[in-house]
Amino acid sequence: MTSELIEKCEKFRQHFSELLGINCRIIDFPSNGSARLAQKSDQGDFCALCLFSGNSGLTTHIYGCREAHRWDGKYIYYCPLGLTFVAASVSDSNGALAGGIVLGPIVMGDVQDVLYDIPEPGMMGAVSRLGVFSTQKVHHTSEILSAVTESISDPNRKKREKLESDHEKLLNEICLAMNQYADGDVISAELLLEFEKELHFAMLRGDKDSALQTLNEMLAHILVYSNFGIKAIKARLLEMLVILSRATIEAGADPAETFRLSEDFISQVEQYADVDQLALWISDIVRRFVMEAFDLAQVKQSDVVFKTTNYIKRNCGEKLSLDSLAKEVYLSKSYLSSVFKKETGMSLTVYINKVRVEKSKKLLLENDDSLSRISSQCGFKDQSYFTKVFKRETGMAPKQFRNNTKTVDKSVGAVVE
């Protein structure tokens, strides 16, 4: 980032850090070098204590900033400890990623659930002192942070480019729709119903690009179907509003916010008497509906993974199945598997085994119970499978791990004495 951008980021970094009482840091993506930490938090560097993060967590936060740049300027993610971070990207004058502001770590949900599986006892005190936010508060924080970084990134240029892009896409779809009926074919109302179905499926799949594309096609056909008559267009747009509102709520958006957008739509649509201006305005409105659905869905997906991992940690000694986990978070098996893999990079089976191995490591060192008893307490079906999974995760058999670790502990104790 330029010195001017860093200075602006630093100003708001201090505000967020003081207001929320959580870590806030600036990540710089220089054009001629590797990404670096431009400013440490006033709250101390929690990530430096983490055994997993490496390089003070910089790699994790670089990833967060890059994803924020891809997803409309903000991204909510978890670190390996299950703590929550919020990243907002800063763009240069060409729209490229120049840096970002990262807030966190934050405990999203119950702090006791997070403390349950902290691998390093020395970190438990630090984790218990972190800020605890609800899912909605994390969402609101991300919205405000991204609004700040957008203002830093020249919002007028970005808004102008987005509007120009949306308008160009809509004009292209209008041309395609007009060509489709150039031979005198009657434009069927059934075609608009097909668009409604496609939109509904795209929203439920979480496919933002397809939803926006379908809306553009639908708008174009509404204009052509109405023969560009302003009165008929407005009537069709109000019908589309009902469809869009319902799909947005079903996709996970806040009903109250969706209804507020609907009321704004109805009050503003009557102000337009020019078809071109109306078309440009409606492109921006439908994008806001889609963003409302998918931005909140992103937080809800993270929340689903958070609840799933905590349930697994609390019940890893029991028999866990995809069926039982899906019922616990009220999702279908296929959707839960897909979301979990997307958010964590691993399957549910792999994660369950990792949690069970971590629990078994503690039991191996805390008492002299047999391997058979420990494998049963950790939810493994038998001792043979326990040994196989443990060796795959740690590189050594359970008995070897117990003996080696205790030998090291004794030698360290002897040196201390």
Side-chain angles (χ1 to χ4, degrees):
M1 288 189 286
T2 63
S3 58
E4 182 183 0
L5 277 178
I6 292 179
E7 185 178 346
K8 289 180 180 179
C9 287
E10 171 59 17
K11 172 186 174 182
F12 288 105
R13 183 199 69 79
Q14 292 180 19
H15 290 322
F16 276 104
S17 183
E18 290 294 325
L19 180 64
L20 300 174
I22 60 176
N23 286 304
C24 186
R25 50 179 65 81
I26 300 169
I27 309 296
D28 182 23
F29 288 74
S31 57
N32 57 350
S34 301
R36 62 186 180 87
L37 191 63
Q39 175 64 53
K40 292 185 178 180
S41 168
D42 296 329
Q43 305 293 326
D45 192 359
F46 176 92
C47 292
L49 303 173
C50 184
L51 299 175
F52 295 116
S53 61
N55 194 23
S56 297
L58 182 58
T59 302
T60 302
H61 305 318
I62 290 172
Y63 161 78
C65 291
R66 291 190 187 282
E67 290 299 294
H69 190 244
R70 287 180 55 207
W71 297 102
D72 299 309
K74 57 185 176 294
Y75 190 68
I76 299 167
Y77 58 101
Y78 288 101
C79 73
L81 286 182
L83 301 173
T84 302
F85 288 84
V86 178
S89 60
V90 176
S91 302
D92 61 19
S93 58
N94 296 315
L97 177 63
I101 299 178
V102 175
L103 289 174
I106 302 164
V107 174
M108 187 165 72
D110 189 345
V111 66
Q112 293 303 319
D113 290 337
V114 177
L115 289 173
Y116 178 82
D117 203 42
I118 295 294
E120 176 53 53
M123 295 183 65
M124 296 181 70
V127 171
S128 65
R129 291 190 292 272
L130 295 175
V132 180
F133 286 16
S134 66
T135 301
Q136 284 292 336
K137 188 172 181 179
V138 171
H139 172 64
H140 294 322
T141 301
S142 73
E143 289 289 343
I144 295 171
L145 182 63
S146 66
V148 167
T149 54
E150 185 178 5
S151 70
I152 294 172
S153 304
D154 185 3
N156 293 327
R157 175 189 58 78
K158 293 181 73 174
K159 185 174 182 179
R160 184 175 61 253
E161 289 178 351
K162 183 173 287 187
L163 287 173
E164 289 174 353
S165 175
D166 288 346
H167 199 202
E168 183 179 354
K169 289 177 181 177
L170 180 57
L171 287 175
N172 288 336
E173 292 300 333
I174 291 172
C175 290
L176 290 173
M178 292 179 69
N179 290 335
Q180 182 175 348
Y181 302 107
D183 296 331
D185 293 340
V186 177
I187 301 176
S188 170
E190 282 73 19
L191 183 58
L192 296 179
L193 293 177
E194 287 299 316
F195 283 128
E196 176 184 346
K197 293 177 183 177
E198 290 179 20
L199 173 63
H200 185 255
F201 290 139
M203 299 284 272
L204 292 181
R205 287 197 312 269
D207 190 342
K208 183 190 293 187
D209 291 339
S210 292
L212 288 171
Q213 174 62 26
T214 300
L215 278 166
N216 260 339
E217 294 177 9
M218 192 172 181
L219 280 170
H221 280 268
I222 284 175
L223 293 172
V224 177
Y225 180 77
S226 304
N227 198 27
F228 297 94
I230 192 75
K231 185 176 180 180
I233 289 173
K234 288 180 179 180
R236 300 291 82 75
L237 289 180
L238 290 173
E239 293 171 1
M240 189 191 74
L241 171 64
V242 176
I243 297 166
L244 187 55
S245 298
R246 184 168 61 243
T248 302
I249 292 171
E250 289 182 18
D254 180 11
E257 179 63 18
T258 303
F259 292 146
R260 186 190 66 77
L261 287 175
S262 299
E263 290 169 1
D264 288 347
F265 180 110
I266 294 171
S267 65
Q268 293 175 35
V269 71
E270 291 301 329
Q271 300 175 11
Y272 291 90
D274 179 82
V275 173
D276 288 337
Q277 290 181 348
L278 178 62
L280 186 59
W281 170 78
I282 194 64
S283 295
D284 184 54
I285 288 294
V286 297
R287 177 179 287 276
R288 286 170 59 191
F289 269 100
V290 175
M291 295 306 117
E292 175 68 18
F294 290 111
D295 287 349
L296 188 56
Q298 179 185 330
V299 180
K300 287 190 173 182
Q301 284 186 5
S302 295
D303 195 31
V304 164
V305 173
F306 181 74
K307 289 177 180 177
T308 303
T309 55
N310 278 300
Y311 181 81
I312 291 170
K313 291 172 186 177
R314 293 194 304 270
N315 299 278
C316 65
E318 308 297 327
K319 182 180 179 181
L320 296 174
S321 66
L322 183 56
D323 277 328
S324 63
L325 291 172
K327 289 177 182 177
E328 185 66 25
V329 293
Y330 305 103
L331 293 175
S332 69
K333 294 185 291 184
S334 60
Y335 185 67
L336 175 59
S337 295
S338 173
V339 167
F340 194 90
K341 182 68 179 289
K342 179 181 178 181
E343 291 285 325
T344 66
M346 67 182 80
S347 68
L348 277 162
T349 300
V350 170
Y351 180 78
I352 290 170
N353 282 335
K354 284 182 178 294
V355 171
R356 285 172 169 165
V357 166
E358 286 302 315
K359 181 177 180 179
S360 69
K361 286 162 69 174
K362 293 181 180 179
L363 294 177
L364 285 166
L365 302 179
E366 289 174 355
N367 57 61
D368 294 320
D369 286 349
S370 66
L371 297 185
S372 176
R373 178 173 173 77
I374 289 176
S375 67
S376 176
Q377 288 177 316
C378 296
F380 290 101
K381 59 184 179 182
D382 54 54
Q383 183 182 332
S384 174
Y385 183 63
F386 165 50
T387 300
K388 178 182 178 181
V389 173
F390 191 97
K391 191 170 183 179
R392 186 174 64 213
E393 290 291 327
T394 67
M396 63 181 78
K399 187 175 181 180
Q400 182 185 1
F401 171 83
R402 171 185 269 170
N403 293 337
N404 288 358
T405 306
K406 286 187 175 182
T407 300
V408 171
D409 288 344
K410 287 180 180 179
S411 64
V412 172
V415 170
V416 171
E417 291 173 2

